[in-house]
Amino acid sequence: MSKGISENGHREDIHWPSLVAAISAITAVGIAIGLGLPLLSIILEKRGIPSTLIGLNTAMAGVAAMVAAPITTRLAHELGVARTMLWAVFLSAISGLGFYFADAFWMWFPLRLVFHGATTTLFILSEFWINVAAPPSRRGFVLGIYATVLSLGFACGPLLFSLLGSDGILPFAVGGIAILLAAVPIYIARGESPQLNEKPQSHFFRYIFLVPTATAAVFVFGAVEAGGLSLFPIYATRTGFSESQAALLLTVMGVGNMVFQIPVGMLSDRLKDRRLLLSIMAVIGLCGSLALPWLSHNWVLMAIVLLFWGGSVSGLYTVGLSHLGSRLTGSDLAAANAAFVFCYAVGTVAGPQAIGVAIDISGNHGFAYAIAAFFALYVALSLGRLLFRPKQA
């Protein structure tokens, strides 16, 4: 481990076993989720399940996250962080494999709750572990690495799906094995896992408002990511792009997501107040959203804008999480991390609904205006906090 002392007196140790354990574990889970989401949808489509019910079943992921987030810190306090993560790995692997054996559609609802509830626990505790292990002066850099590797994990999932297909037990077995592999680094580094010797000082929902600049950022990220990714192909094809052009635009956005995370994280480490960077990224997101209608007939310009726009949108998560870690410690940080993921889940449920309604009411460009509205609300909040709470969250 590398060592040093920062100017403010904090030790600058980088706990590499902890970081490798937490990042590799959640990346394995990301691969499994990236494989599972298209796999499950395709199988339900083949079974003749209506699209509305497929969407309802998929939405259980957000519900599961909102249920799991408030109890994760309590479980980690009682069982320990590493042990709770190992149980979550086991439950997610078993429930993921259970989809193959569940012939009745109704059984997929409790399976979704268990699977996504367990993976939510893994995300919360992995991010808490990373935040604790990262030295304060390099927290943004470390979380940038985490976000980049996780994005690669999610990208590998659909690639695996394209190779394995949806027939038989093989794709489910591969997904289950990928999740179980996450247990290996967790078990090896279990002695390095952070301790939660005290219960959080406040009620869970209090943490949503304790660092509002961070939790509002991840809410907007969840809303824009879920709503944007799911409805952008419809928006792009309606404006005249082909399906392949629309898919390539999504790919460009994903590239922006990956390549900007480490630079954005490093930039956040150089700022005394990360809220300024969050505000700047929100302004970029707002301007990019408002520009979409004007770029809808030029694929190249649209791609250039979406490259930087994708980096700014995903940066809300990385920098928001880093800001959270700079404000809180111990059990308070664990509880706030749970509230952070809870807000993300709420965003993933609210975003597609709001954007879909906007398209129905205002036409195709309602897609851009609804996303712009999310960013505008956050710009107002973040700038308001900077102006009126200059020394607070």
Short mmCIF file of all heavy atoms in Angstrom, two decimals, residues 87-139:
data_model
loop_
_atom_site.label_atom_id
_atom_site.label_comp_id
_atom_site.label_asym_id
_atom_site.label_seq_id
_atom_site.Cartn_x
_atom_site.Cartn_y
_atom_site.Cartn_z
N TRP A 87 -23.42 -12.96 1.84
CA TRP A 87 -24.81 -13.44 1.80
C TRP A 87 -25.54 -12.86 0.59
O TRP A 87 -26.32 -13.54 -0.07
CB TRP A 87 -25.54 -13.07 3.09
CG TRP A 87 -25.36 -14.07 4.19
CD1 TRP A 87 -24.63 -13.94 5.34
CD2 TRP A 87 -25.93 -15.39 4.24
NE1 TRP A 87 -24.71 -15.08 6.10
CE2 TRP A 87 -25.50 -15.99 5.45
CE3 TRP A 87 -26.76 -16.11 3.39
CZ2 TRP A 87 -25.88 -17.27 5.82
CZ3 TRP A 87 -27.14 -17.41 3.75
CH2 TRP A 87 -26.70 -17.97 4.95
N ALA A 88 -25.28 -11.60 0.28
CA ALA A 88 -25.93 -10.97 -0.87
C ALA A 88 -25.48 -11.63 -2.17
O ALA A 88 -26.29 -11.81 -3.10
CB ALA A 88 -25.62 -9.47 -0.89
N VAL A 89 -24.19 -11.98 -2.26
CA VAL A 89 -23.69 -12.70 -3.44
C VAL A 89 -24.43 -14.02 -3.60
O VAL A 89 -24.90 -14.37 -4.70
CB VAL A 89 -22.17 -12.95 -3.32
CG1 VAL A 89 -21.70 -13.98 -4.35
CG2 VAL A 89 -21.40 -11.65 -3.49
N PHE A 90 -24.56 -14.76 -2.51
CA PHE A 90 -25.23 -16.06 -2.56
C PHE A 90 -26.69 -15.92 -2.98
O PHE A 90 -27.18 -16.64 -3.86
CB PHE A 90 -25.13 -16.72 -1.18
CG PHE A 90 -25.88 -18.03 -1.08
CD1 PHE A 90 -25.36 -19.18 -1.64
CD2 PHE A 90 -27.10 -18.09 -0.41
CE1 PHE A 90 -26.05 -20.39 -1.56
CE2 PHE A 90 -27.79 -19.29 -0.32
CZ PHE A 90 -27.27 -20.44 -0.89
N LEU A 91 -27.41 -14.97 -2.39
CA LEU A 91 -28.84 -14.78 -2.71
C LEU A 91 -29.03 -14.33 -4.17
O LEU A 91 -29.96 -14.80 -4.84
CB LEU A 91 -29.46 -13.76 -1.76
CG LEU A 91 -29.68 -14.22 -0.32
CD1 LEU A 91 -30.17 -13.05 0.55
CD2 LEU A 91 -30.68 -15.37 -0.27
N SER A 92 -28.19 -13.44 -4.64
CA SER A 92 -28.34 -12.97 -6.01
C SER A 92 -28.03 -14.08 -7.01
O SER A 92 -28.69 -14.20 -8.05
CB SER A 92 -27.46 -11.74 -6.26
OG SER A 92 -26.10 -12.01 -5.96
N ALA A 93 -27.01 -14.91 -6.72
CA ALA A 93 -26.68 -16.02 -7.62
C ALA A 93 -27.80 -17.05 -7.67
O ALA A 93 -28.19 -17.51 -8.76
CB ALA A 93 -25.37 -16.68 -7.18
N ILE A 94 -28.34 -17.42 -6.52
CA ILE A 94 -29.42 -18.41 -6.46
C ILE A 94 -30.68 -17.89 -7.14
O ILE A 94 -31.33 -18.60 -7.94
CB ILE A 94 -29.72 -18.79 -5.00
CG1 ILE A 94 -28.53 -19.53 -4.39
CG2 ILE A 94 -30.99 -19.66 -4.93
CD1 ILE A 94 -28.18 -20.83 -5.08
N SER A 95 -31.07 -16.64 -6.84
CA SER A 95 -32.28 -16.08 -7.45
C SER A 95 -32.09 -15.88 -8.95
O SER A 95 -33.03 -16.08 -9.74
CB SER A 95 -32.67 -14.77 -6.78
OG SER A 95 -31.60 -13.82 -6.84
N GLY A 96 -30.87 -15.50 -9.38
CA GLY A 96 -30.61 -15.35 -10.80
C GLY A 96 -30.78 -16.65 -11.55
O GLY A 96 -31.35 -16.69 -12.65
N LEU A 97 -30.29 -17.73 -10.98
CA LEU A 97 -30.46 -19.05 -11.59
C LEU A 97 -31.92 -19.50 -11.51
O LEU A 97 -32.40 -20.24 -12.39
CB LEU A 97 -29.56 -20.07 -10.88
CG LEU A 97 -29.45 -21.46 -11.50
CD1 LEU A 97 -28.87 -21.38 -12.91
CD2 LEU A 97 -28.58 -22.37 -10.61
N GLY A 98 -32.64 -19.02 -10.49
CA GLY A 98 -34.03 -19.41 -10.31
C GLY A 98 -34.95 -19.01 -11.45
O GLY A 98 -35.97 -19.67 -11.69
N PHE A 99 -34.58 -17.94 -12.18
CA PHE A 99 -35.42 -17.53 -13.31
C PHE A 99 -35.56 -18.65 -14.34
O PHE A 99 -36.61 -18.78 -14.99
CB PHE A 99 -34.83 -16.28 -13.98
CG PHE A 99 -35.01 -15.02 -13.19
CD1 PHE A 99 -33.94 -14.47 -12.50
CD2 PHE A 99 -36.24 -14.37 -13.14
CE1 PHE A 99 -34.09 -13.30 -11.77
CE2 PHE A 99 -36.40 -13.20 -12.42
CZ PHE A 99 -35.32 -12.66 -11.73
N TYR A 100 -34.51 -19.44 -14.52
CA TYR A 100 -34.56 -20.51 -15.51
C TYR A 100 -35.60 -21.57 -15.13
O TYR A 100 -36.27 -22.14 -16.00
CB TYR A 100 -33.18 -21.16 -15.65
CG TYR A 100 -33.18 -22.37 -16.55
CD1 TYR A 100 -33.26 -22.23 -17.94
CD2 TYR A 100 -33.09 -23.66 -16.02
CE1 TYR A 100 -33.26 -23.35 -18.76
CE2 TYR A 100 -33.09 -24.78 -16.83
CZ TYR A 100 -33.18 -24.61 -18.20
OH TYR A 100 -33.19 -25.72 -19.03
N PHE A 101 -35.73 -21.83 -13.84
CA PHE A 101 -36.62 -22.89 -13.37
C PHE A 101 -38.04 -22.38 -13.08
O PHE A 101 -38.93 -23.19 -12.81
CB PHE A 101 -36.05 -23.55 -12.11
CG PHE A 101 -34.73 -24.21 -12.34
CD1 PHE A 101 -33.54 -23.57 -11.99
CD2 PHE A 101 -34.65 -25.46 -12.92
CE1 PHE A 101 -32.31 -24.18 -12.21
CE2 PHE A 101 -33.43 -26.08 -13.13
CZ PHE A 101 -32.26 -25.44 -12.78
N ALA A 102 -38.26 -21.08 -13.11
CA ALA A 102 -39.57 -20.50 -12.78
C ALA A 102 -40.43 -20.44 -14.05
O ALA A 102 -40.29 -19.53 -14.86
CB ALA A 102 -39.40 -19.12 -12.17
N ASP A 103 -41.30 -21.41 -14.21
CA ASP A 103 -42.15 -21.46 -15.40
C ASP A 103 -43.31 -20.46 -15.32
O ASP A 103 -43.72 -19.89 -16.33
CB ASP A 103 -42.71 -22.87 -15.59
CG ASP A 103 -41.60 -23.87 -15.92
OD1 ASP A 103 -40.64 -23.46 -16.60
OD2 ASP A 103 -41.70 -25.03 -15.49
N ALA A 104 -43.85 -20.28 -14.11
CA ALA A 104 -44.98 -19.36 -13.94
C ALA A 104 -44.48 -17.92 -13.89
O ALA A 104 -43.53 -17.61 -13.16
CB ALA A 104 -45.74 -19.69 -12.66
N PHE A 105 -45.13 -17.04 -14.64
CA PHE A 105 -44.68 -15.65 -14.74
C PHE A 105 -44.72 -14.94 -13.38
O PHE A 105 -43.83 -14.14 -13.07
CB PHE A 105 -45.55 -14.89 -15.75
CG PHE A 105 -45.21 -13.43 -15.86
CD1 PHE A 105 -43.93 -13.02 -16.20
CD2 PHE A 105 -46.17 -12.46 -15.62
CE1 PHE A 105 -43.61 -11.67 -16.31
CE2 PHE A 105 -45.88 -11.11 -15.72
CZ PHE A 105 -44.59 -10.72 -16.07
N TRP A 106 -45.71 -15.24 -12.54
CA TRP A 106 -45.84 -14.56 -11.26
C TRP A 106 -44.61 -14.79 -10.38
O TRP A 106 -44.25 -13.96 -9.54
CB TRP A 106 -47.10 -15.00 -10.51
CG TRP A 106 -47.10 -16.42 -10.03
CD1 TRP A 106 -47.61 -17.51 -10.67
CD2 TRP A 106 -46.52 -16.92 -8.80
NE1 TRP A 106 -47.41 -18.65 -9.93
CE2 TRP A 106 -46.74 -18.31 -8.78
CE3 TRP A 106 -45.85 -16.32 -7.75
CZ2 TRP A 106 -46.32 -19.12 -7.73
CZ3 TRP A 106 -45.42 -17.13 -6.69
CH2 TRP A 106 -45.67 -18.50 -6.68
N MET A 107 -43.93 -15.92 -10.59
CA MET A 107 -42.75 -16.23 -9.78
C MET A 107 -41.59 -15.28 -10.08
O MET A 107 -40.68 -15.12 -9.26
CB MET A 107 -42.33 -17.68 -10.02
CG MET A 107 -43.36 -18.72 -9.62
SD MET A 107 -42.88 -20.41 -10.07
CE MET A 107 -41.47 -20.66 -9.00
N TRP A 108 -41.63 -14.65 -11.26
CA TRP A 108 -40.54 -13.74 -11.61
C TRP A 108 -40.56 -12.46 -10.79
O TRP A 108 -39.55 -11.77 -10.68
CB TRP A 108 -40.62 -13.39 -13.11
CG TRP A 108 -40.14 -14.50 -13.99
CD1 TRP A 108 -40.43 -15.83 -13.89
CD2 TRP A 108 -39.23 -14.38 -15.10
NE1 TRP A 108 -39.81 -16.54 -14.88
CE2 TRP A 108 -39.06 -15.69 -15.63
CE3 TRP A 108 -38.58 -13.32 -15.70
CZ2 TRP A 108 -38.25 -15.93 -16.74
CZ3 TRP A 108 -37.77 -13.56 -16.80
CH2 TRP A 108 -37.60 -14.85 -17.31
N PHE A 109 -41.68 -12.12 -10.19
CA PHE A 109 -41.77 -10.91 -9.37
C PHE A 109 -41.01 -11.06 -8.06
O PHE A 109 -40.16 -10.21 -7.73
CB PHE A 109 -43.23 -10.52 -9.15
CG PHE A 109 -43.87 -9.93 -10.38
CD1 PHE A 109 -44.50 -10.74 -11.31
CD2 PHE A 109 -43.84 -8.56 -10.62
CE1 PHE A 109 -45.07 -10.22 -12.46
CE2 PHE A 109 -44.41 -8.01 -11.76
CZ PHE A 109 -45.03 -8.85 -12.68
N PRO A 110 -41.26 -12.12 -7.26
CA PRO A 110 -40.43 -12.27 -6.06
C PRO A 110 -38.95 -12.53 -6.39
O PRO A 110 -38.07 -12.09 -5.64
CB PRO A 110 -41.05 -13.47 -5.33
CG PRO A 110 -41.87 -14.17 -6.36
CD PRO A 110 -42.34 -13.11 -7.30
N LEU A 111 -38.68 -13.21 -7.51
CA LEU A 111 -37.29 -13.43 -7.89
C LEU A 111 -36.59 -12.10 -8.20
O LEU A 111 -35.43 -11.90 -7.84
CB LEU A 111 -37.22 -14.36 -9.11
CG LEU A 111 -37.42 -15.86 -8.83
CD1 LEU A 111 -37.52 -16.64 -10.14
CD2 LEU A 111 -36.30 -16.42 -7.96
N ARG A 112 -37.31 -11.20 -8.90
CA ARG A 112 -36.75 -9.87 -9.17
C ARG A 112 -36.46 -9.14 -7.87
O ARG A 112 -35.42 -8.47 -7.73
CB ARG A 112 -37.73 -9.06 -10.00
CG ARG A 112 -37.84 -9.48 -11.44
CD ARG A 112 -36.87 -8.74 -12.33
NE ARG A 112 -37.22 -8.91 -13.73
CZ ARG A 112 -36.50 -8.47 -14.74
NH1 ARG A 112 -35.36 -7.83 -14.52
NH2 ARG A 112 -36.87 -8.66 -15.99
N LEU A 113 -37.38 -9.23 -6.91
CA LEU A 113 -37.19 -8.54 -5.63
C LEU A 113 -35.94 -9.05 -4.92
O LEU A 113 -35.13 -8.26 -4.41
CB LEU A 113 -38.43 -8.73 -4.75
CG LEU A 113 -39.66 -7.89 -5.09
CD1 LEU A 113 -40.84 -8.32 -4.23
CD2 LEU A 113 -39.37 -6.40 -4.89
N VAL A 114 -35.77 -10.37 -4.88
CA VAL A 114 -34.61 -10.95 -4.19
C VAL A 114 -33.33 -10.60 -4.95
O VAL A 114 -32.34 -10.16 -4.34
CB VAL A 114 -34.76 -12.48 -4.05
CG1 VAL A 114 -33.48 -13.08 -3.46
CG2 VAL A 114 -35.96 -12.81 -3.17
N PHE A 115 -33.33 -10.81 -6.27
CA PHE A 115 -32.13 -10.59 -7.06
C PHE A 115 -31.66 -9.14 -6.97
O PHE A 115 -30.51 -8.86 -6.65
CB PHE A 115 -32.39 -10.97 -8.52
CG PHE A 115 -31.20 -10.75 -9.42
CD1 PHE A 115 -30.16 -11.67 -9.46
CD2 PHE A 115 -31.12 -9.63 -10.23
CE1 PHE A 115 -29.05 -11.48 -10.27
CE2 PHE A 115 -30.02 -9.42 -11.06
CZ PHE A 115 -28.98 -10.36 -11.08
N HIS A 116 -32.55 -8.20 -7.26
CA HIS A 116 -32.14 -6.80 -7.28
C HIS A 116 -31.99 -6.23 -5.87
O HIS A 116 -31.21 -5.29 -5.67
CB HIS A 116 -33.15 -5.98 -8.09
CG HIS A 116 -33.07 -6.25 -9.57
ND1 HIS A 116 -32.04 -5.79 -10.35
CD2 HIS A 116 -33.87 -6.97 -10.39
CE1 HIS A 116 -32.22 -6.20 -11.60
NE2 HIS A 116 -33.31 -6.91 -11.65
N GLY A 117 -32.71 -6.79 -4.90
CA GLY A 117 -32.48 -6.38 -3.52
C GLY A 117 -31.08 -6.77 -3.07
O GLY A 117 -30.37 -5.98 -2.43
N ALA A 118 -30.65 -7.98 -3.41
CA ALA A 118 -29.31 -8.45 -3.03
C ALA A 118 -28.23 -7.67 -3.76
O ALA A 118 -27.21 -7.30 -3.15
CB ALA A 118 -29.19 -9.95 -3.33
N THR A 119 -28.41 -7.41 -5.05
CA THR A 119 -27.39 -6.66 -5.79
C THR A 119 -27.34 -5.20 -5.32
O THR A 119 -26.26 -4.59 -5.32
CB THR A 119 -27.65 -6.71 -7.30
OG1 THR A 119 -28.98 -6.28 -7.60
CG2 THR A 119 -27.45 -8.12 -7.84
N THR A 120 -28.47 -4.65 -4.88
CA THR A 120 -28.47 -3.31 -4.31
C THR A 120 -27.61 -3.28 -3.05
O THR A 120 -26.82 -2.34 -2.84
CB THR A 120 -29.90 -2.86 -3.97
OG1 THR A 120 -30.65 -2.73 -5.18
CG2 THR A 120 -29.90 -1.51 -3.25
N THR A 121 -27.75 -4.28 -2.21
CA THR A 121 -26.91 -4.39 -1.01
C THR A 121 -25.44 -4.43 -1.38
O THR A 121 -24.60 -3.78 -0.73
CB THR A 121 -27.30 -5.65 -0.21
OG1 THR A 121 -28.65 -5.52 0.26
CG2 THR A 121 -26.36 -5.86 0.97
N LEU A 122 -25.10 -5.16 -2.42
CA LEU A 122 -23.71 -5.24 -2.87
C LEU A 122 -23.20 -3.89 -3.35
O LEU A 122 -22.07 -3.50 -3.06
CB LEU A 122 -23.58 -6.28 -3.99
CG LEU A 122 -23.65 -7.74 -3.54
CD1 LEU A 122 -23.77 -8.67 -4.74
CD2 LEU A 122 -22.42 -8.11 -2.72
N PHE A 123 -24.03 -3.15 -4.09
CA PHE A 123 -23.62 -1.84 -4.56
C PHE A 123 -23.40 -0.89 -3.39
O PHE A 123 -22.39 -0.17 -3.34
CB PHE A 123 -24.68 -1.26 -5.51
CG PHE A 123 -24.50 -1.68 -6.93
CD1 PHE A 123 -25.29 -2.67 -7.48
CD2 PHE A 123 -23.53 -1.11 -7.73
CE1 PHE A 123 -25.12 -3.08 -8.79
CE2 PHE A 123 -23.35 -1.50 -9.04
CZ PHE A 123 -24.16 -2.50 -9.58
N ILE A 124 -24.32 -0.86 -2.45
CA ILE A 124 -24.21 0.06 -1.31
C ILE A 124 -22.94 -0.21 -0.52
O ILE A 124 -22.16 0.71 -0.23
CB ILE A 124 -25.45 -0.06 -0.41
CG1 ILE A 124 -26.69 0.48 -1.11
CG2 ILE A 124 -25.22 0.68 0.92
CD1 ILE A 124 -27.99 0.20 -0.38
N LEU A 125 -22.71 -1.46 -0.17
CA LEU A 125 -21.58 -1.78 0.69
C LEU A 125 -20.25 -1.72 -0.07
O LEU A 125 -19.22 -1.39 0.52
CB LEU A 125 -21.78 -3.17 1.33
CG LEU A 125 -22.98 -3.25 2.29
CD1 LEU A 125 -23.09 -4.64 2.89
CD2 LEU A 125 -22.87 -2.20 3.39
N SER A 126 -20.27 -2.03 -1.36
CA SER A 126 -19.03 -1.89 -2.14
C SER A 126 -18.62 -0.43 -2.23
O SER A 126 -17.44 -0.09 -2.06
CB SER A 126 -19.23 -2.46 -3.55
OG SER A 126 -19.38 -3.85 -3.52
N GLU A 127 -19.58 0.44 -2.50
CA GLU A 127 -19.26 1.86 -2.62
C GLU A 127 -18.85 2.44 -1.27
O GLU A 127 -17.96 3.30 -1.20
CB GLU A 127 -20.46 2.60 -3.21
CG GLU A 127 -20.68 2.26 -4.69
CD GLU A 127 -21.96 2.85 -5.25
OE1 GLU A 127 -22.73 3.46 -4.47
OE2 GLU A 127 -22.20 2.70 -6.46
N PHE A 128 -19.49 1.98 -0.20
CA PHE A 128 -19.07 2.41 1.14
C PHE A 128 -17.63 1.96 1.41
O PHE A 128 -16.79 2.73 1.89
CB PHE A 128 -20.02 1.81 2.17
CG PHE A 128 -19.53 1.91 3.60
CD1 PHE A 128 -19.28 3.15 4.17
CD2 PHE A 128 -19.30 0.76 4.35
CE1 PHE A 128 -18.81 3.24 5.48
CE2 PHE A 128 -18.85 0.85 5.65
CZ PHE A 128 -18.60 2.09 6.21
N TRP A 129 -17.32 0.72 1.07
CA TRP A 129 -15.99 0.16 1.28
C TRP A 129 -14.96 0.97 0.49
O TRP A 129 -13.88 1.31 1.00
CB TRP A 129 -16.00 -1.30 0.83
CG TRP A 129 -14.84 -2.14 1.27
CD1 TRP A 129 -13.64 -1.69 1.74
CD2 TRP A 129 -14.78 -3.57 1.30
NE1 TRP A 129 -12.82 -2.75 2.03
CE2 TRP A 129 -13.49 -3.92 1.79
CE3 TRP A 129 -15.65 -4.58 0.96
CZ2 TRP A 129 -13.09 -5.25 1.92
CZ3 TRP A 129 -15.25 -5.90 1.10
CH2 TRP A 129 -14.00 -6.22 1.58
N ILE A 130 -15.27 1.27 -0.77
CA ILE A 130 -14.35 2.05 -1.61
C ILE A 130 -14.14 3.44 -1.03
O ILE A 130 -13.02 3.95 -0.98
CB ILE A 130 -14.88 2.13 -3.05
CG1 ILE A 130 -14.87 0.74 -3.69
CG2 ILE A 130 -14.05 3.10 -3.89
CD1 ILE A 130 -15.65 0.66 -4.98
N ASN A 131 -15.23 4.07 -0.60
CA ASN A 131 -15.13 5.42 -0.03
C ASN A 131 -14.26 5.44 1.21
O ASN A 131 -13.50 6.39 1.45
CB ASN A 131 -16.54 5.95 0.30
CG ASN A 131 -16.90 7.17 -0.53
OD1 ASN A 131 -16.04 7.97 -0.87
ND2 ASN A 131 -18.18 7.33 -0.82
N VAL A 132 -14.35 4.39 2.02
CA VAL A 132 -13.55 4.31 3.24
C VAL A 132 -12.09 4.05 2.89
O VAL A 132 -11.17 4.63 3.49
CB VAL A 132 -14.08 3.21 4.17
CG1 VAL A 132 -13.12 2.95 5.33
CG2 VAL A 132 -15.45 3.60 4.72
N ALA A 133 -11.85 3.17 1.92
CA ALA A 133 -10.47 2.78 1.58
C ALA A 133 -9.73 3.86 0.80
O ALA A 133 -8.49 3.91 0.84
CB ALA A 133 -10.49 1.48 0.77
N ALA A 134 -10.45 4.71 0.09
CA ALA A 134 -9.80 5.73 -0.73
C ALA A 134 -9.30 6.88 0.14
O ALA A 134 -10.03 7.37 1.00
CB ALA A 134 -10.78 6.26 -1.77
N PRO A 135 -8.06 7.33 -0.05
CA PRO A 135 -7.57 8.49 0.69
C PRO A 135 -8.32 9.74 0.26
O PRO A 135 -8.71 9.87 -0.91
CB PRO A 135 -6.09 8.57 0.29
CG PRO A 135 -6.01 7.86 -1.01
CD PRO A 135 -7.05 6.78 -0.97
N PRO A 136 -8.57 10.68 1.17
CA PRO A 136 -9.38 11.86 0.84
C PRO A 136 -8.91 12.63 -0.39
O PRO A 136 -9.72 13.06 -1.20
CB PRO A 136 -9.26 12.71 2.11
CG PRO A 136 -9.02 11.73 3.21
CD PRO A 136 -8.19 10.65 2.59
N SER A 137 -7.60 12.77 -0.55
CA SER A 137 -7.10 13.59 -1.66
C SER A 137 -7.17 12.87 -3.00
O SER A 137 -6.97 13.49 -4.04
CB SER A 137 -5.64 14.00 -1.39
OG SER A 137 -4.79 12.86 -1.42
N ARG A 138 -7.48 11.57 -2.99
CA ARG A 138 -7.55 10.81 -4.24
C ARG A 138 -8.87 10.06 -4.37
O ARG A 138 -9.00 9.12 -5.15
CB ARG A 138 -6.37 9.82 -4.31
CG ARG A 138 -5.02 10.51 -4.23
CD ARG A 138 -3.88 9.53 -4.33
NE ARG A 138 -3.77 8.94 -5.66
CZ ARG A 138 -2.89 7.98 -5.98
NH1 ARG A 138 -2.06 7.55 -5.05
NH2 ARG A 138 -2.84 7.50 -7.19
N ARG A 139 -9.86 10.49 -3.58
CA ARG A 139 -11.15 9.80 -3.58
C ARG A 139 -11.82 9.86 -4.96
O ARG A 139 -12.35 8.86 -5.45
CB ARG A 139 -12.06 10.41 -2.52
CG ARG A 139 -13.44 9.76 -2.45
CD ARG A 139 -14.25 10.28 -1.29
NE ARG A 139 -13.82 9.67 -0.03
CZ ARG A 139 -13.28 10.34 0.96
NH1 ARG A 139 -13.08 11.64 0.86
NH2 ARG A 139 -12.92 9.72 2.07
#
